[in-house]
Amino acid sequence: MATTVRFEVAARKPRKAAAALCKHFYSQGWVSGTGGSITLKVHNPLVPLSERLIVMAPSGVQKERMLPTDMYVLAANGSVLKACAPKGAPHKPPKCSECGPLFLKVYQMRNAGAVIHSHGIEACLATMINPSATEFQITHMEMIKGIIGHGYYDELVVPIIENSAREYDLTDSLAAAMEAYPKATAVLVRNHGIYIWGDSWISAKTQAECYHYLFEAALRLHQLGLDPADPKHGPLLPHNSFEPSRPLDVPNVSSNKNGAKSNGLFSPRVILLDIEGTTTPISFVTDVLFPYAREHAVSFLRSTYDTNETQCDIQLLRKQVAEDLEQGLAEAVFIPPDNAGMEAVVSALEKNVQAMIKADRKITSLKQLQGHIWRVGYEQGELHGEFFDDVPEALAAWHASGNKTYIYSSGSREAQRLIFGNTKYGDLRQYLSGFFDTTIGNKREARSYSEIYLTVGVDSPSHITFATDVLAEAVAAKQAGLQAVLVLRPGNAPLPPDHGFRTISSLLEL
């Protein structure tokens, strides 16, 4: 009895908040017709978030008429501690949310403090813009800053899963999407709605409002014939422009003038390669390089603080953080001036760098610092570049056939040189003609590939074949006139079935 009283008292305010939010969401059109729901954790700083009590709205009820006593109270494992009483005819008997298994899965995988399920028409229609797309994408919109881990210049990507007749049948698909998109704070369900989470109901609600705004913006841009995923929001490419990229009309050769075998490989004049997900498993970057940079950032900054190189890194980070603060990015922390002392500056740098790495931001200031940290790791033998087995063979064959190979990655050029220069296959840089990073431009913008074309010395951009695992990058390269192929590797994000590009599973297929 005492235990029941304790959790009922603890859940009193959260149940009241959940009921009020249901009414607010109804006014937004997110939970009409008894659809949609919300759940939130009971705030208790003495209890880890994963172990806190859960408040959850019931299923199949008029959300605008919800009362605090209508809310279910659950233990952290999902067992019901307090159910709501029946209301009598014409109401149906109460039952906990049909979304319950999905909510619990989000709590388990994301350690969230609240989850909102919306049936908002904007979210529903956003999944229908391209009926076969597995992602929603938008960039360069002010409200992207309201999504955790994103800034104005970042691309917001929301995975889309297919709907099912019963809501709880979506649990496995939701879990798979969260695993495939670790940065995501939401998952869209085609022709249905969206699940959005945050570390509190305030965070979840704020993001929900931003997501719905961005979905509406994307719909209007499409109506105007403009592309939400284009940084300049230029005209949408016509559907028939996505024809499969075809190899150039260059005959295969069995040997070069030195008699080296080409293994029948197609031989374009220039090959341009992405790294992460193309030559190197994504897991190497996310599970090895990023953690190494996180763990060694402070010690590196302290030990090299007075060097010209690190001072240059700090100035670049200051400039980026100043822009982030101006844009209202929540994770940005002011970096004090040098006269505040090394410890104060390094402490602020650490907070910013950790947040940038967590959000996987593709910004030059972060990538340059990471490259310098990784250099120490490679020099000390703590890091070794990891590659798919076909990569060294393909690089050697292209080099023997007289072709030029370049790398284009969001990682700094120094980081690229380090990963290719320190491998179990030896130094692979001997097969490469050069490196490009984001100082030449964003990888999702066509002008970046035009700049590369003007740099590598070929007569036509079509003499360059670009291999990547990212559809938006392939599209940008094709807009610039390059040949583009998509690389299918274990661990890569799924591609929509109608992307229109040639796909390969090995660089030996080029």
Side-chain angles (χ1 to χ4, degrees):
M1 182 68 177
T3 301
T4 302
V5 172
R6 279 201 303 271
F7 78 68
E8 285 187 344
V9 171
R12 187 175 298 157
K13 287 185 178 179
R15 294 171 86 182
K16 184 176 181 180
L21 287 168
C22 283
K23 294 177 182 178
H24 172 68
F25 297 158
Y26 177 83
S27 70
Q28 302 299 309
W30 299 352
V31 294
S32 57
T34 78
S37 192
I38 182 175
T39 176
L40 54 91
K41 291 286 188 80
V42 174
H43 179 68
N44 185 347
L46 301 178
V47 178
L49 186 57
S50 61
E51 299 175 14
R52 294 178 191 173
L53 296 175
I54 298 169
V55 169
M56 193 176 296
S59 185
V61 297
Q62 306 293 324
K63 299 298 191 300
E64 78 279 14
R65 299 176 64 85
M66 296 297 303
L67 299 173
T69 53
D70 293 326
M71 297 294 161
Y72 280 75
V73 181
L74 286 70
N77 64 4
S79 60
V80 176
L81 301 176
K82 176 67 175 179
C84 61
K87 291 180 175 292
H91 297 281
K92 295 180 180 179
K95 63 176 181 177
C96 199
S97 177
E98 181 95 354
C99 310
L102 291 92
F103 289 152
L104 293 173
K105 183 61 70 173
V106 175
Y107 283 140
Q108 173 191 342
M109 295 184 66
R110 288 291 194 265
N111 197 29
V115 190
I116 296 169
H117 175 43
S118 163
H119 283 192
I121 188 64
E122 306 95 333
C124 187
L125 292 178
T127 70
M128 302 179 191
I129 294 175
N130 181 345
S132 60
T134 58
E135 296 176 346
F136 167 86
Q137 300 174 352
I138 192 169
T139 189
H140 284 63
M141 293 291 290
E142 179 69 12
M143 295 295 272
I144 290 177
K145 296 190 302 189
I147 307 302
I148 298 299
H150 290 76
Y152 172 77
Y153 297 105
D154 294 325
E155 180 179 53
L156 175 66
V157 178
V158 185
I160 302 172
I161 62 176
E162 298 302 322
N163 196 23
S164 63
R166 299 302 300 267
E167 203 125 19
Y168 53 74
D169 289 334
L170 295 168
T171 306
D172 290 343
S173 297
L174 181 80
M178 287 191 289
E179 185 174 356
Y181 295 81
K183 187 179 175 181
T185 58
V187 172
L188 282 159
V189 184
R190 196 176 322 275
N191 305 340
H192 183 149
I194 187 171
Y195 288 85
I196 304 163
W197 55 87
D199 58 8
S200 68
W201 68 261
I202 294 176
S203 172
K205 173 180 176 289
T206 300
Q207 291 186 93
E209 291 168 349
C210 293
Y211 276 118
H212 284 79
Y213 175 96
L214 292 167
F215 297 148
E216 174 67 21
L219 291 167
R220 295 193 184 189
L221 285 168
H222 268 271
Q223 290 171 349
L224 294 170
L226 305 178
D227 187 355
D230 178 2
K232 295 183 179 179
H233 297 150
L236 284 164
L237 289 174
H239 182 74
N240 60 11
S241 71
F242 287 95
E243 297 174 356
S245 296
R246 294 180 175 83
L248 297 175
D249 188 19
V250 179
N252 290 338
V253 292
S254 58
S255 64
N256 64 6
K257 62 183 179 181
N258 297 320
K261 297 286 185 179
S262 70
N263 298 324
L265 295 175
F266 161 63
S267 301
R269 294 180 63 183
V270 167
I271 304 99
L272 183 65
L273 300 176
D274 173 43
I275 295 180
E276 185 180 357
T278 298
T279 66
T280 300
I282 290 176
S283 59
F284 175 70
V285 178
T286 58
D287 299 343
V288 178
L289 291 183
F290 284 179
Y292 188 91
R294 280 198 303 268
E295 293 166 10
H296 293 80
V298 172
S299 60
F300 175 84
L301 288 167
R302 283 177 177 156
S303 63
T304 63
Y305 187 80
D306 292 325
T307 65
N308 290 334
E309 184 179 75
T310 296
Q311 284 299 313
C312 179
D313 292 345
I314 291 172
Q315 292 311 311
L316 274 179
L317 285 164
R318 282 187 195 278
K319 182 179 178 181
Q320 181 63 57
V321 171
E323 293 177 4
D324 292 344
L325 289 169
E326 186 176 347
Q327 294 170 19
L329 194 64
E331 293 82 4
V333 177
F334 173 73
I335 301 174
D338 291 336
N339 59 17
M342 181 184 75
E343 287 303 319
V345 173
V346 170
S347 177
L349 286 168
E350 179 189 16
K351 293 182 176 67
N352 285 288
V353 169
Q354 299 289 5
M356 290 173 177
I357 294 175
K358 183 178 180 181
D360 189 18
R361 295 187 65 184
K362 311 294 186 183
I363 47 179
T364 301
S365 57
L366 172 65
K367 298 302 181 182
Q368 180 169 300
L369 175 65
Q370 285 176 317
H372 295 153
I373 296 172
W374 293 330
R375 180 179 60 202
V376 176
Y378 285 109
E379 290 174 348
Q380 296 179 350
E382 297 173 342
L383 293 174
H384 298 89
E386 185 176 338
F387 294 90
F388 294 107
D389 289 337
D390 58 276
V391 175
E393 184 179 353
L395 293 178
W398 293 334
H399 185 264
S401 298
N403 297 293
K404 293 182 178 181
T405 303
Y406 293 84
I407 305 300
Y408 183 27
S409 171
S410 59
S412 69
R413 287 182 297 171
E414 178 165 16
Q416 297 173 35
R417 292 178 58 83
L418 288 167
I419 192 173
F420 280 91
N422 299 271
T423 84
K424 68 179 183 181
Y425 307 98
D427 189 344
L428 298 180
R429 292 175 299 179
Q430 61 182 306
Y431 304 125
L432 302 175
S433 298
F435 302 87
F436 297 99
D437 60 17
T438 52
T439 57
I440 204 164
N442 190 300
K443 294 185 71 181
R444 298 169 186 251
E445 296 182 6
R447 63 181 177 85
S448 304
Y449 299 89
S450 297
E451 289 295 324
I452 290 174
Y453 150 62
L454 294 172
T455 303
V456 299
V458 292
D459 294 331
S460 168
S462 64
H463 292 170
I464 306 172
T465 295
F466 176 52
T468 177
D469 64 311
V470 179
L471 176 58
E473 294 177 3
V475 170
K478 185 171 183 179
Q479 287 176 328
L482 280 65
Q483 302 284 335
V485 299
L486 290 169
V487 184
L488 308 178
R489 298 288 199 184
N492 287 3
L495 296 168
D498 65 341
H499 55 73
F501 286 88
R502 177 187 171 202
T503 61
I504 59 173
S505 299
S506 166
L507 296 187
L508 296 172
E509 299 174 40
L510 279 179

